[in-house]
Amino acid sequence: MQHSEQVAQLKKLLHYLDTRTTAMADDVYRNNVTDYTDPEQAKLEQDLLFRHQPLFMGLSCRAEKPGDYFTDDYSGVPILVARDRSGTLNAFINTCRHRGAKVVDGCGGARAFSCPYHAWTYGLDGRLMSRPHEEAFEGMDKAEHGLVPLPVVEKYGMIWVGATPGETFDIDDQLGGLGAEMAAYGLESYSHYETRTSTQPMNWKLVLDTFLESYHINVLHVKTIDPILHSNLGTFDGYGKNLRMIIARRTLDQLRDRPEQEWDLMPYTAVVYILFPNTVFIVQGDHMETWHVYPSPNDPNESHMMISLYTPEPATTDSARGHWDRNFDLLMRTVEEEDFPLGSNVQRGFHAGAQTHITFGRNEPSLGHFHRSIKRALGLEAA
Ligand code: FES
Ligand SMILES: [Fe+2]
């Protein structure tokens, strides 16, 4: 973010602090309970959002060097992302062309991918290089049995993959004007520290909702993050289908004693982006966190997520690793002991029939923007 824009955002936050206000939506928003429970809507989301939107897969450092790869099993299509010898990033359906086994699991470094079933072996560029007993496959041209490529874009130090072969996408269009801001973070130089996974008995959108207001911090998180972040105090800006909210840290007040040219957004805030449709990207003072949240394929009441922590420098010492482990542990403890048990209750309560709608207050503008964007992408009327 440009320095002048950082100063403008910090001034806005100081104004909210002085006036005990926050960014406000024009109206209260009523969201259908069935958005979180309806199997038909879940099918539509799986198709339109997860098959036909580019999915943000993480920062470039997830596959930093030639031979590095990672996989994603949650989008509904098994995805393999690999950097080939020339440094080009490729994405494939992670399914063997022989009998359909999953070719590779997890992440790491490889020279080639050998299928665990009968050892058909693929290059980092997806080419089928060899198969045992070649004579048994007469007439089945090797050149036509490489891994099926998926569209992939690497830009601003970020990786997006589309889960439908042959489709193309314009990532700047998808980012809705956030490109320059993402570029300014210098994400190319970040290091991948760790990725953890979690499965929760909550609709995937309810998981994202957790991150989209600061109204609950001094209630639900009174013992954990309330000492760090202000409650009910944040900016909101929509960028096409995406959004940004900036939440003030309690250190914000200290800025008043410093000259504006020294003001820096990151130490005084947490910047939360929704990268449509399913990523929460958080600029967390001295590091970045991403939450990729996916619906369970057969159950609107369950979701899977991958949570990654990225650091500005590689963590090479025990003390650095201790620092980032403590950060990651606090994060996971907060959501797994506070947000998600609460969210699981909400999900169960949705089935009780108490009401047809839930309410997003005017002080929760990000929630309305997120759900309106989903509804538009699904071709459903906004509430
Ligand atoms: S299924 Fe992969 S080698 Fe047979
Ligand atoms: Fe929370």
Side-chain angles (χ1 to χ4, degrees), residues 95-103 114-122 132:
T95 297
C96 182
R97 297 297 307 282
H98 175 219
R99 298 252 306 277
K102 188 171 155 196
V103 178
S114 184
C115 177
Y117 205 172
H118 314 87
W120 283 29
T121 298
Y122 302 90

Side-chain angles (χ1 to χ4, degrees), residues 25-181:
D26 291 340
D27 301 299
V28 168
Y29 185 101
R30 283 156 55 80
N31 202 37
N32 301 322
V33 166
T34 52
D35 277 16
Y36 303 93
T37 57
D38 178 16
E40 291 307 315
Q41 178 164 336
K43 273 191 213 142
L44 202 59
E45 289 171 353
Q46 187 79 52
D47 182 32
L48 295 179
L49 304 183
F50 291 86
R51 284 289 176 99
H52 297 292
Q53 291 273 338
L55 299 171
F56 175 50
M57 294 270 121
L59 301 188
S60 292
C61 52
R62 291 220 64 200
E64 198 162 26
K65 305 178 297 299
D68 287 354
Y69 69 90
F70 64 91
T71 59
D72 180 314
D73 295 335
Y74 292 144
S75 74
V77 172
I79 293 171
L80 164 62
V81 178
R83 198 174 295 281
D84 67 25
R85 293 270 159 252
S86 69
T88 301
L89 199 69
N90 301 298
F92 309 102
I93 300 183
N94 190 7
T95 297
C96 182
R97 297 297 307 282
H98 175 219
R99 298 252 306 277
K102 188 171 155 196
V103 178
V104 59
D105 261 319
C107 59
R111 299 162 80 88
F113 302 113
S114 184
C115 177
Y117 205 172
H118 314 87
W120 283 29
T121 298
Y122 302 90
L124 297 164
D125 56 0
R127 195 167 43 91
L128 177 59
M129 293 161 61
S130 64
R131 50 192 168 190
H133 296 282
E134 176 63 38
E135 71 285 358
F137 296 95
E138 205 180 302
M140 301 286 295
D141 190 358
K142 279 222 294 279
E144 286 170 18
H145 288 80
L147 295 175
V148 173
L150 290 172
V152 59
V153 168
E154 185 174 27
K155 197 168 184 182
Y156 310 126
M158 307 166 86
I159 298 169
W160 288 266
V161 171
T164 300
E167 280 189 357
T168 55
F169 49 83
D170 177 339
I171 216 57
D172 286 302
D173 188 43
Q174 177 78 8
L175 282 173
L178 273 177
E181 189 161 319

